[in-house]
Amino acid sequence: MGLIDYTATYTDQYQLAMALAYFKSRKREDRAVFDYFFRKPPFGGGYAVFAGLENLIDLLEDFRFDDADLEYLETVGFPTEFLDYLRDFRFRGDMRSSAEGDVVFPTRPILQIEATIVEAQIVETATLNLLNFQTLVATKASRMRAAAGERKLSDFGLRRAQSAGGYHASRAAIIGGFDSTSDVRAGRDFGVEIAGTMAHSFVQSFDDELAAFRAFAEARADDCALLLDTYDTLESGLPNAIVVGKEMAERGEKLKGVRLDSGDLAYLAKRCRAALDEAGLEEVNIAVSNQLDEYVIKSLLEQNAPIDLFGVGTKLAVGAPDAALDGVYKLARSGGNPRLKLSETTEKITLPNRKQVYRLSDESGDWIGADLVALEDEKSFSTMRHPFDRRKRMNVAKYKREPQLRAAMTNGERVVERRTVKEISDFRAERLAKLPDEYRRFDNPHIYKVGLSDGLYEERDKLIEHYNRKES
Amino acid sequence: MGLIDYTATYTDQYQLAMALAYFKSRKREDRAVFDYFFRKPPFGGGYAVFAGLENLIDLLEDFRFDDADLEYLETVGFPTEFLDYLRDFRFRGDMRSSAEGDVVFPTRPILQIEATIVEAQIVETATLNLLNFQTLVATKASRMRAAAGERKLSDFGLRRAQSAGGYHASRAAIIGGFDSTSDVRAGRDFGVEIAGTMAHSFVQSFDDELAAFRAFAEARADDCALLLDTYDTLESGLPNAIVVGKEMAERGEKLKGVRLDSGDLAYLAKRCRAALDEAGLEEVNIAVSNQLDEYVIKSLLEQNAPIDLFGVGTKLAVGAPDAALDGVYKLARSGGNPRLKLSETTEKITLPNRKQVYRLSDESGDWIGADLVALEDEKSFSTMRHPFDRRKRMNVAKYKREPQLRAAMTNGERVVERRTVKEISDFRAERLAKLPDEYRRFDNPHIYKVGLSDGLYEERDKLIEHYNRKES
């Protein structure tokens, strides 16, 4: 079993209140379609890396109210006939989704759920909770991967993570491009590489630093990385590490690395590299940590700091500074009718009905920087329209269209093949490589276009008019 | 069982690497003392509300490696004799702690763990993971409670929370002063009140808004709150809610509330209040939501917005903008000797040995705004010294001293009485009320003093000298 023992009370109270109202108003078997999407890419960037899908499928396949749930719901006033109904609750709906690890953009559906309205409503909270957070962290990780180039990246964030959120942060870190995590339970459950060095407390607990280093080298001959800054990096940590590195070499072993966790990391890395090389320890890696993010990593490497591994904690694990992705779950169809949410902010008006999203590429397969959102059953695609500006449209007939939403669950069961976290991460790398550089810039990136088909544009406008007529 | 099924692999890889080194170097039975503390109060404020203790005690009482853990650790190279040792791993140590819900301050120990060094090291990650996050959120919640005065506060954050972090965020929200949460599983497991209204999708799924409101009122006559902004708050939502409110009144029922989720919340609340009152619906509450935090709540109330309940989501659940508390876990004693971590940043030098923290108050019991950190066995307390400035000291002989660290676990078992979340929240209110206003200001608050006893000051300086001598 995974770390988290979800039951169907992993939801908001109002989902159950609405479910009860549907139950009583004989709408409980109405089919509904909901879209999951976000409105703004995190971190001021131009894209997001979609993550969390496999966990969501696992959750939904097994999402039910257990006895403790039902007993509790009785105490807070839900009526018996409704509790009997919830006892048999299963998610039996369909899910169509972008592939986990793919690059996704604002306002277009990333995932669509179609189920009875009660089912679709009860699973809303878990859907948002799982997808928003992992997408946030995988995106953050992908930015650090871009900054770090070929250097190793390791996630050290569990201690500063938001409680058990750290478990999924570790998974999302790997999807976004990290090589390893310190989180042992995530390693166990997600099959990802675990890594680490030593803590200051280990060095402190011995009477001198050299004794501590020797004890660690003896216990971890195959995976020995020494932390240099407990007392003084250059005066004490570095010379002691060199002593131990040479002793290991004499025994036919190899000191794997040293870690710097304070001070000026570029300056110290250069001094350490020079001293290690001079001692014949050219193969000893230099790892650094301490409040890193994509900007610090970039800046350290611009100064040619000879760093082999970056250990990243807080800012990765909580997806700082955003800390949340604004993903939403909006009704697009119910009871046989397309549905829409109006808003005084035009950009917040939702897209009605079952939809498909197409990624456009030219004849050589290169992405042109646009996703086209269309009605699911639409067949001809000559133009792509700006979502709100009537005057803006482009001819897209000549482009290839790759459908983005594919069946992930049917009748409540997984139909998409399960992939390992490593496979998802490889897919992320492949997809991100197709996204032109200007969309991947950290700040003020080029804006990837998301436009509407003629059919969807007209259906939405018809509905807006319909609601406006009703109000007046 | 709770939502999260912890096993002892809920830790960082390096804790196990160090444990192995201790195991091999015959230090495994060495006793160690670790301090948990933070260096800076979150949100630019002057204090933090300590939370997460009960969950940590529950975790530690039952923290062990299960078969899946041990099988996994074998695959990543841990030797058999060490795995046999881990099979019997239990936390059998002692914990002394501030009371959960108390007001705490930077640099002074909040919790102290004393155990074999292997036990103390393996539980470090879980300790930081649980305490940092709940303390962050409880502190954030307490700021909103201060802003909201007597109005109700409800947590709506689960959907934007960091995965299962939301579960503990809901608990911490109540400790910090919220009245209720939307999180049903948190309601079930922590015995806290759950609450909610309805979503836009509910209104959209009916052919018209009035039919949706009527269906909801019928299903939830005792707890009916209607969301007004699906189409148009003043033109449609409000008049329809008034119709339903009057219908309910005729049936001898009461419409409980309306919710505003967009637009100018102060303006709309005033318009709604006036119209509801005019319709004889004076008892209908007005709830608002949409990107709230303590500053927005304060500003809405300064404009006399007639708001009865604030629903707070993202910024509460992730503890925005900080998103993490910088709590650390530092070795203070091991193998019979006091221990210290040096640092080039003077303020980061740690405090050695077993300690007690005293809160000082004057003869009438009023807090004077200072915590004194002393050696545990120290008996006379005439002066309190500034941690680093030799010239600064104050006479504290005349003050009453309330010891802050009390036994919470002994030999791995809980010794502190279990309290409900409600009791912890009441205690928080009582303690915060004792903290003078100037320390509770949102920005640039007065700085609460944390000073050292003569004994601790001297012991620390002796150790610093000892290490400096060794290095040179």
Side-chain angles (χ1 to χ4, degrees):
Chain A
M1 194 179 83
L3 178 72
I4 305 161
D5 176 34
Y6 301 107
T7 63
T9 50
Y10 198 74
T11 194
D12 289 305
Q13 188 260 16
Y14 80 174
Q15 313 288 12
L16 299 178
M18 293 188 282
L20 173 64
Y22 288 130
F23 176 81
K24 288 202 170 182
S25 64
R26 291 181 306 277
K27 274 178 163 291
R28 69 178 97 155
E29 295 301 325
D30 275 14
R31 300 286 289 179
V33 175
F34 281 83
D35 292 339
Y36 170 70
F37 62 97
F38 63 87
R39 293 203 174 99
K40 226 178 69 177
F43 316 117
Y47 69 90
V49 172
F50 174 49
L53 178 64
E54 293 278 347
N55 306 109
L56 179 62
I57 295 173
D58 286 345
L59 176 151
L60 291 180
E61 281 201 314
D62 203 34
F63 208 52
R64 52 204 63 180
F65 295 92
D66 69 11
D67 292 342
D69 287 335
L70 295 166
E71 278 168 36
Y72 170 69
L73 292 177
E74 191 173 7
T75 67
V76 293
F78 285 95
T80 309
E81 68 275 20
F82 181 61
L83 297 177
D84 289 341
Y85 167 73
L86 292 185
R87 197 178 309 276
D88 297 322
F89 173 85
R90 301 284 183 278
F91 177 75
R92 297 186 179 90
D94 302 335
M95 177 200 290
R96 295 157 65 234
S97 178
S98 284
E100 185 165 7
D102 205 350
V103 187
V104 292
F105 303 95
T107 73
R108 47 142 283 199
I110 295 169
L111 176 144
Q112 205 164 52
I113 282 185
E114 177 159 0
T116 68
I117 195 155
V118 169
E119 292 169 22
Q121 205 76 67
I122 288 176
V123 307
E124 171 180 2
T125 307
T127 302
L128 291 169
N129 177 269
L130 287 183
L131 302 183
N132 280 339
F133 178 54
Q134 285 201 52
T135 299
L136 179 82
V137 175
T139 307
K140 185 73 178 175
S142 77
R143 291 163 64 88
M144 300 198 203
R145 169 45 63 213
E150 299 295 306
R151 277 81 172 181
K152 296 268 183 193
L153 287 169
S154 192
D155 154 40
F156 292 172
L158 182 57
R159 62 189 49 209
R160 295 283 172 79
Q162 303 211 330
S163 170
Y167 179 63
H168 283 140
S170 303
R171 180 179 184 276
I174 305 292
I175 289 175
F178 270 54
D179 299 286
S180 59
T181 177
S182 68
D183 179 343
V184 183
R185 183 66 188 261
R188 181 196 114 172
D189 291 352
F190 301 130
V192 298
E193 189 183 331
I194 58 170
T197 62
M198 58 164 48
H200 297 115
S201 57
F202 187 81
V203 179
Q204 288 169 261
S205 74
F206 286 76
D207 289 329
D208 66 86
E209 192 176 48
L210 188 58
F213 285 3
R214 281 180 173 142
F216 202 71
E218 201 169 314
R220 306 277 299 168
D222 295 338
D223 182 23
C224 178
L226 303 171
L227 177 60
L228 303 190
D229 70 331
T230 304
Y231 302 115
D232 188 301
T233 300
L234 297 178
E235 297 301 315
S236 170
L238 178 60
N240 284 331
I242 287 174
V243 169
V244 171
K246 285 181 173 171
E247 289 171 356
M248 291 181 80
E250 277 166 33
R251 295 199 293 271
E253 297 163 356
K254 262 188 200 164
L255 175 61
K256 186 172 166 190
V258 294
R259 176 160 73 101
L260 306 169
D261 188 44
S262 61
D264 189 278
L265 300 176
Y267 168 75
L268 292 174
K270 286 175 190 175
R271 293 284 305 266
C272 287
R273 184 74 276 154
L276 289 165
D277 289 353
E278 201 184 333
L281 298 169
E282 292 88 354
E283 289 177 49
V284 174
N285 283 335
I286 296 179
V288 303
S289 52
N290 195 14
Q291 300 295 323
L292 301 180
D293 65 10
E294 62 271 44
Y295 297 98
V296 179
I297 292 172
K298 191 164 172 245
S299 147
L300 286 169
L301 293 176
E302 279 166 4
Q303 300 197 306
N304 299 312
I307 293 166
D308 304 289
L309 182 147
F310 296 93
V312 186
T314 314
K315 290 179 184 175
L316 170 70
V318 303
D322 292 28
L325 180 75
D326 72 348
V328 293
Y329 182 86
K330 293 292 175 186
L331 183 67
R333 183 182 174 89
S334 76
N337 297 310
R339 306 283 179 181
L340 185 86
K341 186 192 170 308
L342 291 176
S343 171
E344 291 178 36
T345 317
T346 313
E347 288 71 28
K348 284 195 165 186
I349 296 175
T350 60
L351 299 174
N353 226 334
R354 283 189 206 98
K355 292 175 286 291
Q356 180 55 278
V357 179
Y358 299 95
R359 182 145 302 166
L360 304 183
S361 54
D362 62 22
E363 62 281 6
S364 53
D366 290 338
W367 291 0
I368 67 152
D371 280 6
L372 172 68
V373 191
L375 294 172
E376 194 197 20
D377 53 10
E378 224 171 332
K379 292 283 176 278
S380 97
F381 306 90
S382 54
T383 52
M384 180 170 94
R385 308 192 51 166
H386 185 282
F388 301 104
D389 190 336
R390 292 203 162 274
R391 297 161 307 169
K392 289 191 184 167
R393 61 183 77 197
M394 66 188 265
N395 191 314
V396 295
K398 64 178 167 181
Y399 297 121
K400 290 191 212 167
R401 294 185 308 277
E402 180 195 48
Q404 299 297 291
L405 304 180
R406 294 166 189 268
M409 298 182 81
T410 301
N411 300 324
E413 285 177 16
R414 170 194 287 270
V415 294
V416 68
E417 209 182 333
R418 187 187 290 276
R419 291 183 304 162
T420 65
V421 173
K422 179 71 175 59
E423 287 166 345
I424 296 167
S425 179
D426 290 345
F427 178 69
R428 182 262 324 146
E430 187 189 302
R431 298 293 279 183
L432 256 181
K434 293 173 85 78
L435 185 68
D437 279 350
E438 58 267 29
Y439 299 98
R440 286 187 274 155
R441 203 159 53 220
F442 285 172
D443 297 301
N444 292 317
H446 193 31
I447 292 169
Y448 191 98
K449 286 191 178 66
V450 174
L452 309 188
S453 68
D454 286 325
L456 179 59
Y457 194 98
E458 283 154 23
E459 174 142 337
R460 184 196 58 180
D461 277 8
K462 224 164 50 192
L463 265 174
I464 293 175
E465 239 175 78
H466 167 78
Y467 286 116
N468 284 341
R469 255 202 321 275
K470 281 184 74 160
E471 274 175 40
S472 58
Chain B
M1 195 180 81
L3 179 71
I4 304 162
D5 176 35
Y6 301 106
T7 62
T9 50
Y10 198 74
T11 193
D12 291 304
Q13 189 262 14
Y14 80 175
Q15 314 287 11
L16 299 179
M18 291 187 284
L20 172 64
Y22 288 129
F23 177 81
K24 288 203 168 182
S25 64
R26 293 180 304 277
K27 272 176 164 294
R28 70 178 97 155
E29 295 303 324
D30 274 14
R31 300 287 289 179
V33 176
F34 281 83
D35 292 340
Y36 170 71
F37 62 97
F38 63 86
R39 294 203 173 99
K40 226 180 72 175
F43 315 119
Y47 68 90
V49 173
F50 175 48
L53 178 65
E54 292 278 347
N55 305 110
L56 179 62
I57 296 173
D58 286 345
L59 176 150
L60 291 181
E61 281 200 314
D62 203 33
F63 207 52
R64 52 204 64 180
F65 294 92
D66 69 9
D67 292 342
D69 287 336
L70 295 166
E71 279 167 35
Y72 171 69
L73 293 177
E74 192 174 5
T75 66
V76 293
F78 285 96
T80 309
E81 69 274 20
F82 182 61
L83 297 177
D84 288 341
Y85 168 73
L86 292 186
R87 196 179 309 276
D88 297 323
F89 174 86
R90 301 286 183 276
F91 177 74
R92 297 186 178 90
D94 301 336
M95 177 199 290
R96 296 156 65 236
S97 178
S98 283
E100 185 164 7
D102 205 350
V103 187
V104 292
F105 302 95
T107 73
R108 47 142 283 200
I110 297 169
L111 177 144
Q112 205 165 52
I113 282 184
E114 177 159 1
T116 68
I117 195 154
V118 168
E119 292 169 23
Q121 204 76 69
I122 287 176
V123 307
E124 170 181 3
T125 307
T127 301
L128 292 170
N129 176 270
L130 288 182
L131 302 183
N132 280 338
F133 179 54
Q134 285 200 54
T135 299
L136 179 82
V137 174
T139 307
K140 185 75 179 175
S142 77
R143 292 162 65 87
M144 301 199 202
R145 169 45 63 212
E150 298 297 303
R151 278 78 173 185
K152 295 268 183 193
L153 288 168
S154 191
D155 154 39
F156 292 173
L158 183 56
R159 61 190 51 209
R160 296 283 171 80
Q162 302 210 330
S163 172
Y167 178 64
H168 284 140
S170 303
R171 178 179 185 277
I174 305 292
I175 289 174
F178 271 53
D179 299 286
S180 59
T181 177
S182 67
D183 180 342
V184 184
R185 182 68 188 261
R188 180 195 114 172
D189 292 352
F190 302 129
V192 297
E193 189 184 330
I194 58 170
T197 62
M198 59 164 49
H200 297 115
S201 57
F202 187 82
V203 179
Q204 288 169 262
S205 74
F206 285 77
D207 289 330
D208 67 86
E209 192 176 48
L210 188 57
F213 285 3
R214 281 179 172 142
F216 201 72
E218 202 168 311
R220 306 277 299 170
D222 293 340
D223 182 23
C224 179
L226 303 171
L227 176 61
L228 301 190
D229 70 332
T230 305
Y231 303 115
D232 188 301
T233 301
L234 297 177
E235 296 300 316
S236 171
L238 178 61
N240 284 331
I242 288 174
V243 169
V244 171
K246 287 179 172 171
E247 290 171 357
M248 291 181 79
E250 275 167 34
R251 294 198 293 271
E253 298 162 356
K254 263 189 198 160
L255 174 60
K256 185 172 166 191
V258 295
R259 175 162 72 102
L260 307 169
D261 187 43
S262 60
D264 188 278
L265 299 175
Y267 168 76
L268 293 173
K270 286 174 189 174
R271 293 285 305 268
C272 287
R273 184 75 275 154
L276 288 165
D277 289 354
E278 203 185 331
L281 298 168
E282 292 88 355
E283 289 178 48
V284 174
N285 283 336
I286 296 177
V288 303
S289 51
N290 195 16
Q291 299 295 323
L292 302 179
D293 64 12
E294 62 270 43
Y295 297 97
V296 179
I297 292 171
K298 190 164 174 242
S299 149
L300 287 168
L301 293 175
E302 278 166 4
Q303 300 198 308
N304 299 311
I307 294 167
D308 304 289
L309 181 147
F310 296 93
V312 186
T314 314
K315 290 179 183 174
L316 170 70
V318 305
D322 293 28
L325 180 74
D326 70 350
V328 292
Y329 182 87
K330 293 291 176 188
L331 183 67
R333 184 183 172 90
S334 74
N337 297 309
R339 306 282 180 180
L340 184 87
K341 186 192 168 307
L342 292 177
S343 172
E344 290 177 37
T345 318
T346 312
E347 288 71 27
K348 284 194 163 184
I349 296 176
T350 60
L351 299 174
N353 225 334
R354 283 189 206 97
K355 293 177 285 292
Q356 180 55 277
V357 178
Y358 299 95
R359 183 146 301 167
L360 304 182
S361 55
D362 62 22
E363 64 281 3
S364 53
D366 291 337
W367 292 359
I368 67 150
D371 280 6
L372 172 68
V373 191
L375 294 173
E376 195 197 19
D377 53 10
E378 222 170 333
K379 292 282 175 278
S380 98
F381 305 91
S382 53
T383 51
M384 179 170 95
R385 309 194 48 169
H386 184 284
F388 302 103
D389 190 335
R390 295 202 160 273
R391 297 160 309 169
K392 291 188 181 168
R393 60 182 77 196
M394 65 189 266
N395 191 314
V396 295
K398 64 179 167 181
Y399 297 122
K400 291 191 209 165
R401 292 184 309 276
E402 180 195 48
Q404 300 296 291
L405 305 180
R406 292 166 190 270
M409 298 182 81
T410 302
N411 299 326
E413 285 177 17
R414 172 196 286 271
V415 294
V416 67
E417 209 183 331
R418 187 187 290 276
R419 291 183 305 163
T420 66
V421 173
K422 178 73 174 59
E423 287 165 344
I424 296 167
S425 179
D426 290 345
F427 178 69
R428 182 263 324 148
E430 187 188 301
R431 297 293 278 184
L432 256 181
K434 294 173 85 78
L435 184 68
D437 279 350
E438 58 267 30
Y439 300 98
R440 285 187 275 154
R441 205 159 52 221
F442 286 171
D443 297 300
N444 291 319
H446 193 32
I447 291 170
Y448 190 98
K449 287 191 179 65
V450 175
L452 310 189
S453 68
D454 286 324
L456 179 58
Y457 195 97
E458 283 154 24
E459 173 141 337
R460 185 198 56 180
D461 278 7
K462 222 165 50 191
L463 264 173
I464 293 176
E465 240 175 81
H466 167 78
Y467 285 116
N468 285 341
R469 252 202 323 276
K470 278 185 73 159
E471 273 174 43
S472 57

